[in-house]
Short mmCIF file of all heavy atoms in Angstrom, two decimals:
data_model
loop_
_atom_site.label_atom_id
_atom_site.label_comp_id
_atom_site.label_asym_id
_atom_site.label_seq_id
_atom_site.Cartn_x
_atom_site.Cartn_y
_atom_site.Cartn_z
N MET A 1444 112.24 99.18 121.99
CA MET A 1444 111.23 98.32 122.58
C MET A 1444 110.44 97.67 121.45
O MET A 1444 109.99 98.34 120.54
CB MET A 1444 110.30 99.16 123.43
CG MET A 1444 109.96 98.56 124.76
SD MET A 1444 109.03 99.72 125.72
CE MET A 1444 110.30 100.80 126.31
N HIS A 1445 110.36 96.36 121.45
CA HIS A 1445 109.66 95.69 120.37
C HIS A 1445 108.54 94.82 120.91
O HIS A 1445 108.72 94.05 121.82
CB HIS A 1445 110.66 94.82 119.58
CG HIS A 1445 111.49 95.65 118.66
ND1 HIS A 1445 112.81 95.93 118.91
CD2 HIS A 1445 111.20 96.31 117.47
CE1 HIS A 1445 113.28 96.69 117.95
NE2 HIS A 1445 112.36 96.94 117.08
N GLY A 1446 107.36 95.01 120.31
CA GLY A 1446 106.23 94.16 120.59
C GLY A 1446 105.70 94.26 122.03
O GLY A 1446 105.05 93.32 122.49
N VAL A 1447 105.94 95.38 122.70
CA VAL A 1447 105.34 95.53 124.02
C VAL A 1447 104.06 96.35 123.86
O VAL A 1447 104.13 97.50 123.41
CB VAL A 1447 106.34 96.29 125.00
CG1 VAL A 1447 105.72 96.42 126.38
CG2 VAL A 1447 107.66 95.54 125.04
N ARG A 1448 102.96 95.80 124.24
CA ARG A 1448 101.68 96.50 124.00
C ARG A 1448 101.57 97.69 124.90
O ARG A 1448 102.08 97.76 126.02
CB ARG A 1448 100.48 95.59 124.28
CG ARG A 1448 100.40 94.35 123.37
CD ARG A 1448 100.40 94.70 121.92
NE ARG A 1448 99.09 95.29 121.48
CZ ARG A 1448 98.89 95.75 120.24
NH1 ARG A 1448 99.82 95.72 119.32
NH2 ARG A 1448 97.70 96.21 119.94
N ARG A 1449 100.89 98.70 124.36
CA ARG A 1449 100.71 99.97 125.09
C ARG A 1449 99.47 99.84 125.96
O ARG A 1449 98.37 99.52 125.46
CB ARG A 1449 100.50 101.13 124.09
CG ARG A 1449 100.50 102.48 124.73
CD ARG A 1449 100.62 103.56 123.63
NE ARG A 1449 99.39 103.74 122.87
CZ ARG A 1449 99.31 103.76 121.55
NH1 ARG A 1449 100.40 103.60 120.84
NH2 ARG A 1449 98.16 103.92 120.91
N ARG A 1451 97.07 101.76 128.61
CA ARG A 1451 96.80 103.08 129.16
C ARG A 1451 96.60 102.95 130.64
O ARG A 1451 95.74 102.24 131.14
CB ARG A 1451 95.52 103.60 128.48
CG ARG A 1451 95.33 105.10 128.54
CD ARG A 1451 96.58 105.95 128.42
NE ARG A 1451 97.15 105.91 127.08
CZ ARG A 1451 98.43 106.27 126.83
NH1 ARG A 1451 99.22 106.65 127.77
NH2 ARG A 1451 98.89 106.20 125.59
N ARG A 1461 105.64 103.24 140.39
CA ARG A 1461 106.89 103.95 140.68
C ARG A 1461 107.35 103.71 142.12
O ARG A 1461 108.50 103.46 142.36
CB ARG A 1461 106.70 105.43 140.41
CG ARG A 1461 107.98 106.24 140.44
CD ARG A 1461 107.84 107.61 139.80
NE ARG A 1461 107.54 107.53 138.39
CZ ARG A 1461 106.79 108.40 137.73
NH1 ARG A 1461 106.27 109.42 138.38
NH2 ARG A 1461 106.58 108.27 136.44
N GLN A 1465 110.73 101.78 143.51
CA GLN A 1465 111.73 102.56 144.22
C GLN A 1465 112.80 101.71 144.91
O GLN A 1465 114.01 102.01 144.78
CB GLN A 1465 111.09 103.49 145.26
CG GLN A 1465 110.50 104.75 144.65
CD GLN A 1465 111.44 105.46 143.68
OE1 GLN A 1465 112.55 105.82 144.06
NE2 GLN A 1465 111.02 105.64 142.45
N LEU A 1468 115.00 100.18 142.36
CA LEU A 1468 115.87 101.20 141.79
C LEU A 1468 117.05 101.46 142.71
O LEU A 1468 118.17 101.53 142.26
CB LEU A 1468 115.05 102.47 141.55
CG LEU A 1468 115.81 103.70 141.03
CD1 LEU A 1468 116.46 103.38 139.71
CD2 LEU A 1468 114.87 104.86 140.85
N LYS A 1482 135.52 98.55 139.24
CA LYS A 1482 136.11 98.54 137.91
C LYS A 1482 137.20 99.62 137.82
O LYS A 1482 138.33 99.39 137.29
CB LYS A 1482 135.06 98.78 136.85
CG LYS A 1482 135.58 98.89 135.42
CD LYS A 1482 134.42 98.92 134.45
CE LYS A 1482 134.94 99.10 133.01
NZ LYS A 1482 135.33 100.47 132.73
N LYS A 1483 136.89 100.82 138.32
CA LYS A 1483 137.83 101.93 138.25
C LYS A 1483 139.10 101.62 139.03
O LYS A 1483 140.20 102.01 138.66
CB LYS A 1483 137.20 103.20 138.89
CG LYS A 1483 136.60 104.09 137.83
CD LYS A 1483 136.29 105.44 138.44
CE LYS A 1483 135.63 106.34 137.40
NZ LYS A 1483 134.94 107.44 138.06
N ASN A 1502 120.69 93.10 134.57
CA ASN A 1502 120.74 93.83 133.33
C ASN A 1502 121.83 93.30 132.38
O ASN A 1502 122.95 93.79 132.34
CB ASN A 1502 121.01 95.33 133.61
CG ASN A 1502 120.92 96.18 132.36
OD1 ASN A 1502 120.57 95.69 131.28
ND2 ASN A 1502 121.21 97.46 132.49
N GLU A 1504 122.25 93.72 129.38
CA GLU A 1504 122.59 94.58 128.26
C GLU A 1504 123.69 95.58 128.64
O GLU A 1504 124.11 96.39 127.79
CB GLU A 1504 121.35 95.37 127.81
CG GLU A 1504 120.25 94.43 127.30
CD GLU A 1504 119.20 95.17 126.49
OE1 GLU A 1504 119.56 95.91 125.57
OE2 GLU A 1504 118.02 95.01 126.80
N PHE A 1505 124.16 95.50 129.86
CA PHE A 1505 125.17 96.44 130.34
C PHE A 1505 126.54 95.99 129.83
O PHE A 1505 127.29 95.32 130.55
CB PHE A 1505 125.10 96.45 131.91
CG PHE A 1505 125.64 97.68 132.55
CD1 PHE A 1505 125.23 98.04 133.85
CD2 PHE A 1505 126.56 98.54 131.91
CE1 PHE A 1505 125.72 99.18 134.47
CE2 PHE A 1505 127.04 99.64 132.55
CZ PHE A 1505 126.61 99.98 133.82
N TYR A 1506 126.89 96.41 128.60
CA TYR A 1506 128.08 95.81 127.94
C TYR A 1506 129.36 96.08 128.72
O TYR A 1506 130.27 95.24 128.74
CB TYR A 1506 128.20 96.36 126.50
CG TYR A 1506 128.53 97.82 126.41
CD1 TYR A 1506 129.82 98.28 126.36
CD2 TYR A 1506 127.53 98.80 126.33
CE1 TYR A 1506 130.15 99.64 126.26
CE2 TYR A 1506 127.79 100.15 126.25
CZ TYR A 1506 129.12 100.56 126.19
OH TYR A 1506 129.40 101.89 126.11
N THR A 1507 129.42 97.25 129.39
CA THR A 1507 130.64 97.59 130.12
C THR A 1507 130.97 96.51 131.18
O THR A 1507 132.12 96.20 131.44
CB THR A 1507 130.46 98.95 130.79
OG1 THR A 1507 130.19 99.89 129.76
CG2 THR A 1507 131.66 99.39 131.57
N ASN A 1510 132.52 93.44 129.69
CA ASN A 1510 133.93 93.75 129.42
C ASN A 1510 134.75 93.60 130.72
O ASN A 1510 135.81 92.97 130.77
CB ASN A 1510 134.10 95.16 128.91
CG ASN A 1510 133.49 95.39 127.56
OD1 ASN A 1510 133.13 94.42 126.87
ND2 ASN A 1510 133.36 96.62 127.15
N ARG A 1513 135.34 90.03 131.79
CA ARG A 1513 136.44 89.37 131.07
C ARG A 1513 137.80 89.83 131.62
O ARG A 1513 138.73 89.02 131.75
CB ARG A 1513 136.32 89.64 129.58
CG ARG A 1513 135.14 88.93 128.94
CD ARG A 1513 135.14 88.98 127.43
NE ARG A 1513 134.76 90.27 126.89
CZ ARG A 1513 133.52 90.65 126.63
NH1 ARG A 1513 132.53 89.79 126.84
NH2 ARG A 1513 133.23 91.81 126.11
N ARG A 1600 114.02 82.24 113.04
CA ARG A 1600 114.51 83.35 112.21
C ARG A 1600 115.51 84.22 112.95
O ARG A 1600 115.88 85.27 112.44
CB ARG A 1600 113.34 84.24 111.75
CG ARG A 1600 112.30 83.55 110.85
CD ARG A 1600 112.90 83.06 109.55
NE ARG A 1600 113.60 84.01 108.75
CZ ARG A 1600 113.01 84.86 107.90
NH1 ARG A 1600 111.72 84.86 107.74
NH2 ARG A 1600 113.74 85.71 107.15
N SER A 1640 115.68 82.30 106.33
CA SER A 1640 117.03 82.16 106.92
C SER A 1640 117.62 80.79 106.55
O SER A 1640 118.79 80.67 106.27
CB SER A 1640 116.97 82.29 108.42
OG SER A 1640 116.33 83.48 108.81
N HIS A 1643 118.44 80.72 102.84
CA HIS A 1643 119.68 81.44 102.64
C HIS A 1643 120.92 80.58 102.95
O HIS A 1643 121.83 80.44 102.18
CB HIS A 1643 119.70 82.71 103.53
CG HIS A 1643 121.06 83.33 103.65
ND1 HIS A 1643 121.56 84.21 102.75
CD2 HIS A 1643 122.04 83.13 104.59
CE1 HIS A 1643 122.80 84.57 103.13
NE2 HIS A 1643 123.12 83.92 104.24
N LYS A 1647 124.16 78.96 100.54
CA LYS A 1647 125.57 79.07 100.81
C LYS A 1647 126.24 77.67 100.85
O LYS A 1647 127.29 77.47 100.31
CB LYS A 1647 125.83 79.77 102.16
CG LYS A 1647 125.33 81.21 102.23
CD LYS A 1647 126.25 82.17 101.51
CE LYS A 1647 125.66 83.58 101.49
NZ LYS A 1647 126.33 84.47 100.56
N GLN A 1682 107.17 84.55 99.78
CA GLN A 1682 108.23 85.09 98.96
C GLN A 1682 109.58 84.42 99.14
O GLN A 1682 110.42 84.46 98.23
CB GLN A 1682 108.34 86.61 99.06
CG GLN A 1682 108.68 87.18 100.44
CD GLN A 1682 108.99 88.67 100.33
OE1 GLN A 1682 110.14 89.04 100.20
NE2 GLN A 1682 107.95 89.50 100.39
N SER A 1683 109.78 83.75 100.28
CA SER A 1683 111.07 83.05 100.51
C SER A 1683 111.38 82.10 99.33
O SER A 1683 112.46 82.04 98.84
CB SER A 1683 111.00 82.15 101.77
OG SER A 1683 110.50 82.91 102.84
N TRP A 1690 117.50 82.38 92.68
CA TRP A 1690 118.92 81.99 92.85
C TRP A 1690 119.24 80.69 92.11
O TRP A 1690 120.25 80.56 91.45
CB TRP A 1690 119.24 81.84 94.34
CG TRP A 1690 120.60 81.22 94.58
CD1 TRP A 1690 121.79 81.86 94.39
CD2 TRP A 1690 120.91 79.88 94.94
NE1 TRP A 1690 122.83 80.99 94.68
CE2 TRP A 1690 122.31 79.77 95.02
CE3 TRP A 1690 120.10 78.75 95.24
CZ2 TRP A 1690 122.94 78.57 95.37
CZ3 TRP A 1690 120.75 77.57 95.59
CH2 TRP A 1690 122.14 77.51 95.66
N ALA A 1733 124.43 90.41 88.31
CA ALA A 1733 125.56 91.14 88.90
C ALA A 1733 125.90 90.65 90.31
O ALA A 1733 127.06 90.67 90.73
CB ALA A 1733 125.26 92.63 88.93
N ALA A 1734 124.86 90.20 91.02
CA ALA A 1734 125.12 89.79 92.41
C ALA A 1734 125.88 88.45 92.50
O ALA A 1734 126.39 88.11 93.56
CB ALA A 1734 123.80 89.68 93.17
N LYS A 1738 132.41 91.11 89.19
CA LYS A 1738 132.20 92.14 88.16
C LYS A 1738 133.50 92.67 87.53
O LYS A 1738 133.56 92.86 86.35
CB LYS A 1738 131.42 93.29 88.80
CG LYS A 1738 129.96 93.01 88.83
CD LYS A 1738 129.09 93.88 89.69
CE LYS A 1738 129.07 95.32 89.53
NZ LYS A 1738 128.10 96.03 90.38
N ASN B 464 113.74 109.09 138.05
CA ASN B 464 113.28 108.27 139.17
C ASN B 464 112.72 106.90 138.68
O ASN B 464 112.27 106.12 139.50
CB ASN B 464 112.23 108.99 139.98
CG ASN B 464 112.80 110.16 140.73
OD1 ASN B 464 113.92 110.05 141.18
ND2 ASN B 464 112.08 111.27 140.77
N ASP B 465 112.74 106.69 137.35
CA ASP B 465 112.22 105.45 136.84
C ASP B 465 113.35 104.42 136.67
O ASP B 465 114.45 104.74 136.20
CB ASP B 465 111.57 105.67 135.47
CG ASP B 465 110.26 106.42 135.60
OD1 ASP B 465 109.81 106.64 136.74
OD2 ASP B 465 109.72 106.83 134.55
N LEU B 470 118.08 101.35 133.64
CA LEU B 470 118.38 100.08 132.97
C LEU B 470 118.79 100.29 131.51
O LEU B 470 119.36 99.39 130.90
CB LEU B 470 117.17 99.14 133.02
CG LEU B 470 116.87 98.51 134.38
CD1 LEU B 470 115.54 97.71 134.30
CD2 LEU B 470 118.00 97.60 134.81
N ALA B 517 128.73 105.02 126.32
CA ALA B 517 127.30 105.39 126.19
C ALA B 517 126.85 106.30 127.33
O ALA B 517 125.81 106.93 127.25
CB ALA B 517 126.44 104.12 126.19
N ASP B 520 131.58 106.71 132.67
CA ASP B 520 132.12 105.48 133.23
C ASP B 520 131.77 104.20 132.46
O ASP B 520 132.14 103.11 132.88
CB ASP B 520 131.65 105.29 134.71
CG ASP B 520 132.30 106.35 135.60
OD1 ASP B 520 133.37 106.87 135.22
OD2 ASP B 520 131.73 106.66 136.66
N HIS B 521 131.04 104.34 131.38
CA HIS B 521 130.83 103.12 130.51
C HIS B 521 131.97 103.05 129.52
O HIS B 521 132.55 104.08 129.15
CB HIS B 521 129.48 103.25 129.80
CG HIS B 521 128.29 103.06 130.65
ND1 HIS B 521 127.16 102.40 130.24
CD2 HIS B 521 128.04 103.44 131.94
CE1 HIS B 521 126.29 102.41 131.23
NE2 HIS B 521 126.79 103.03 132.24
N ASP B 522 132.30 101.82 129.09
CA ASP B 522 133.44 101.67 128.18
C ASP B 522 133.19 102.31 126.82
O ASP B 522 132.07 102.36 126.35
CB ASP B 522 133.76 100.15 127.99
CG ASP B 522 134.40 99.54 129.22
OD1 ASP B 522 134.82 100.33 130.11
OD2 ASP B 522 134.49 98.31 129.26
N PHE B 568 137.32 94.19 122.11
CA PHE B 568 137.00 92.76 122.26
C PHE B 568 136.66 92.05 120.95
O PHE B 568 136.48 90.85 120.94
CB PHE B 568 135.82 92.58 123.27
CG PHE B 568 136.28 92.87 124.65
CD1 PHE B 568 136.03 94.08 125.27
CD2 PHE B 568 137.02 91.94 125.37
CE1 PHE B 568 136.46 94.37 126.53
CE2 PHE B 568 137.48 92.21 126.65
CZ PHE B 568 137.20 93.43 127.24
N ARG B 605 127.81 90.76 100.20
CA ARG B 605 126.64 90.83 99.28
C ARG B 605 126.14 89.45 98.96
O ARG B 605 126.91 88.54 98.64
CB ARG B 605 127.02 91.57 98.00
CG ARG B 605 125.82 91.96 97.16
CD ARG B 605 126.26 92.68 95.88
NE ARG B 605 127.03 91.74 95.05
CZ ARG B 605 127.78 92.13 94.05
NH1 ARG B 605 127.96 93.43 93.79
NH2 ARG B 605 128.45 91.27 93.32
N ASN B 606 124.80 89.29 99.03
CA ASN B 606 124.19 88.01 98.74
C ASN B 606 123.52 87.98 97.38
O ASN B 606 123.36 89.03 96.74
CB ASN B 606 123.15 87.70 99.81
CG ASN B 606 123.80 87.44 101.16
OD1 ASN B 606 124.76 86.66 101.26
ND2 ASN B 606 123.32 88.13 102.21
N PHE B 607 123.08 86.78 96.97
CA PHE B 607 122.52 86.65 95.66
C PHE B 607 121.24 87.47 95.48
O PHE B 607 120.88 87.81 94.36
CB PHE B 607 122.22 85.18 95.35
CG PHE B 607 121.03 84.60 96.08
CD1 PHE B 607 119.74 84.77 95.60
CD2 PHE B 607 121.23 83.91 97.26
CE1 PHE B 607 118.69 84.25 96.30
CE2 PHE B 607 120.15 83.41 97.99
CZ PHE B 607 118.88 83.60 97.49
N GLY B 616 128.67 85.66 104.56
CA GLY B 616 127.83 84.47 104.71
C GLY B 616 126.52 84.74 105.40
O GLY B 616 125.65 83.86 105.38
N GLU B 618 122.72 86.29 106.32
CA GLU B 618 121.53 86.60 105.57
C GLU B 618 121.34 88.11 105.38
O GLU B 618 121.66 88.91 106.24
CB GLU B 618 120.37 86.03 106.38
CG GLU B 618 119.01 86.24 105.79
CD GLU B 618 117.86 85.76 106.69
OE1 GLU B 618 118.15 85.17 107.77
OE2 GLU B 618 116.70 85.93 106.30
N ASP B 638 129.24 101.12 92.56
CA ASP B 638 129.45 100.06 91.55
C ASP B 638 129.43 98.66 92.18
O ASP B 638 129.24 97.66 91.51
CB ASP B 638 130.77 100.29 90.80
CG ASP B 638 131.96 100.29 91.74
OD1 ASP B 638 132.05 101.15 92.63
OD2 ASP B 638 132.81 99.43 91.60
N ASP B 641 124.31 95.82 93.23
CA ASP B 641 123.54 95.35 92.07
C ASP B 641 122.17 96.07 92.23
O ASP B 641 121.24 95.51 92.81
CB ASP B 641 123.39 93.81 92.15
CG ASP B 641 122.45 93.29 91.11
OD1 ASP B 641 121.92 94.06 90.32
OD2 ASP B 641 122.29 92.05 91.13
N ARG B 652 109.87 94.57 100.58
CA ARG B 652 109.77 94.68 102.05
C ARG B 652 108.41 95.26 102.46
O ARG B 652 108.03 95.17 103.64
CB ARG B 652 110.87 95.63 102.62
CG ARG B 652 112.35 95.15 102.58
CD ARG B 652 112.60 93.77 103.12
NE ARG B 652 112.76 92.87 102.03
CZ ARG B 652 112.00 91.80 101.84
NH1 ARG B 652 111.05 91.47 102.66
NH2 ARG B 652 112.20 91.04 100.76
N ARG B 662 113.18 91.61 106.64
CA ARG B 662 113.60 90.39 105.90
C ARG B 662 112.33 89.72 105.36
O ARG B 662 111.24 89.96 105.88
CB ARG B 662 114.31 89.42 106.85
CG ARG B 662 115.68 89.90 107.30
CD ARG B 662 116.34 88.85 108.19
NE ARG B 662 115.79 88.80 109.52
CZ ARG B 662 115.87 87.76 110.33
NH1 ARG B 662 116.46 86.63 109.92
NH2 ARG B 662 115.38 87.79 111.57
N PRO B 663 112.49 88.83 104.35
CA PRO B 663 111.28 88.15 103.80
C PRO B 663 110.50 87.42 104.87
O PRO B 663 111.09 86.80 105.76
CB PRO B 663 111.86 87.17 102.78
CG PRO B 663 113.22 87.73 102.44
CD PRO B 663 113.68 88.46 103.63
N GLU B 664 109.18 87.51 104.78
CA GLU B 664 108.26 86.77 105.66
C GLU B 664 108.42 87.09 107.13
O GLU B 664 108.30 86.21 107.99
CB GLU B 664 108.43 85.24 105.41
CG GLU B 664 108.13 84.80 104.00
CD GLU B 664 106.70 85.10 103.52
OE1 GLU B 664 105.79 85.01 104.33
OE2 GLU B 664 106.54 85.44 102.34
N ASP B 668 107.73 96.79 110.87
CA ASP B 668 108.25 97.50 112.01
C ASP B 668 108.62 98.91 111.54
O ASP B 668 109.29 99.05 110.50
CB ASP B 668 109.48 96.78 112.56
CG ASP B 668 110.04 97.40 113.83
OD1 ASP B 668 110.03 98.63 113.97
OD2 ASP B 668 110.54 96.63 114.69
N ASP B 702 101.62 107.28 119.55
CA ASP B 702 100.84 107.23 120.77
C ASP B 702 100.15 108.58 120.87
O ASP B 702 100.77 109.58 121.17
CB ASP B 702 101.79 106.98 121.97
CG ASP B 702 101.03 107.00 123.30
OD1 ASP B 702 99.84 107.45 123.29
OD2 ASP B 702 101.60 106.58 124.32
N GLU B 704 98.26 109.90 122.88
CA GLU B 704 98.09 110.48 124.20
C GLU B 704 99.42 110.96 124.79
O GLU B 704 99.59 112.13 125.17
CB GLU B 704 97.41 109.55 125.17
CG GLU B 704 95.92 109.33 124.75
CD GLU B 704 95.30 108.17 125.46
OE1 GLU B 704 95.45 108.09 126.70
OE2 GLU B 704 94.68 107.34 124.80
N ASP B 710 106.98 100.54 117.53
CA ASP B 710 107.35 99.66 116.39
C ASP B 710 106.18 99.39 115.47
O ASP B 710 106.27 99.33 114.27
CB ASP B 710 108.03 98.38 116.89
CG ASP B 710 107.16 97.56 117.82
OD1 ASP B 710 106.13 98.04 118.29
OD2 ASP B 710 107.51 96.37 118.08
N PRO B 712 101.41 99.71 115.45
CA PRO B 712 100.23 100.31 116.13
C PRO B 712 99.90 99.59 117.43
O PRO B 712 99.91 98.38 117.48
CB PRO B 712 99.11 100.15 115.12
CG PRO B 712 99.80 100.12 113.79
CD PRO B 712 101.13 99.44 114.01
N GLY B 713 99.64 100.38 118.48
CA GLY B 713 99.18 99.79 119.74
C GLY B 713 100.28 99.44 120.69
O GLY B 713 100.01 99.07 121.84
N ASP B 714 101.55 99.54 120.25
CA ASP B 714 102.69 99.17 121.14
C ASP B 714 103.23 100.41 121.86
O ASP B 714 102.92 101.53 121.54
CB ASP B 714 103.81 98.50 120.33
CG ASP B 714 103.46 97.04 120.03
OD1 ASP B 714 102.38 96.59 120.43
OD2 ASP B 714 104.23 96.40 119.31
N MET B 715 104.05 100.11 122.87
CA MET B 715 104.73 101.18 123.64
C MET B 715 105.69 101.95 122.76
O MET B 715 106.54 101.34 122.09
CB MET B 715 105.54 100.54 124.79
CG MET B 715 104.69 100.05 125.94
SD MET B 715 104.07 101.42 126.89
CE MET B 715 105.52 101.82 127.83
N ASP B 717 108.98 104.43 121.87
CA ASP B 717 110.32 104.70 122.38
C ASP B 717 111.00 105.67 121.46
O ASP B 717 110.52 105.93 120.33
CB ASP B 717 111.12 103.38 122.54
CG ASP B 717 111.23 102.64 121.22
OD1 ASP B 717 111.87 103.16 120.32
OD2 ASP B 717 110.65 101.52 121.10
N HIS B 720 112.17 104.34 117.80
CA HIS B 720 111.13 104.24 116.73
C HIS B 720 110.58 105.61 116.40
O HIS B 720 110.17 105.89 115.28
CB HIS B 720 110.05 103.29 117.16
CG HIS B 720 110.46 101.85 117.11
ND1 HIS B 720 110.98 101.21 118.20
CD2 HIS B 720 110.57 100.98 116.07
CE1 HIS B 720 111.36 99.98 117.86
NE2 HIS B 720 111.08 99.80 116.60
#
Side-chain angles (χ1 to χ4, degrees):
Chain A
M1444 223 173 283
H1445 283 105
V1447 182
R1448 297 304 288 176
R1449 187 167 75 229
R1451 200 38 69 199
R1461 190 164 296 150
Q1465 280 313 301
L1468 176 60
K1482 176 173 178 282
K1483 263 193 184 162
N1502 187 4
E1504 298 196 51
F1505 203 157
Y1506 68 90
T1507 301
N1510 294 347
R1513 290 190 284 272
R1600 296 300 304 277
S1640 306
H1643 164 86
K1647 298 283 177 192
Q1682 61 172 267
S1683 309
W1690 170 73
K1738 279 166 55 175
Chain B
N464 291 323
D465 288 352
L470 286 175
D520 292 336
H521 288 217
D522 285 349
F568 288 99
R605 191 181 65 198
N606 292 311
F607 74 84
E618 180 184 356
D638 59 298
D641 174 1
R652 293 308 103 238
R662 289 183 286 158
E664 301 299 324
D668 183 323
D702 177 346
E704 290 167 49
D710 59 347
D714 283 358
M715 285 287 282
D717 58 64
H720 289 94

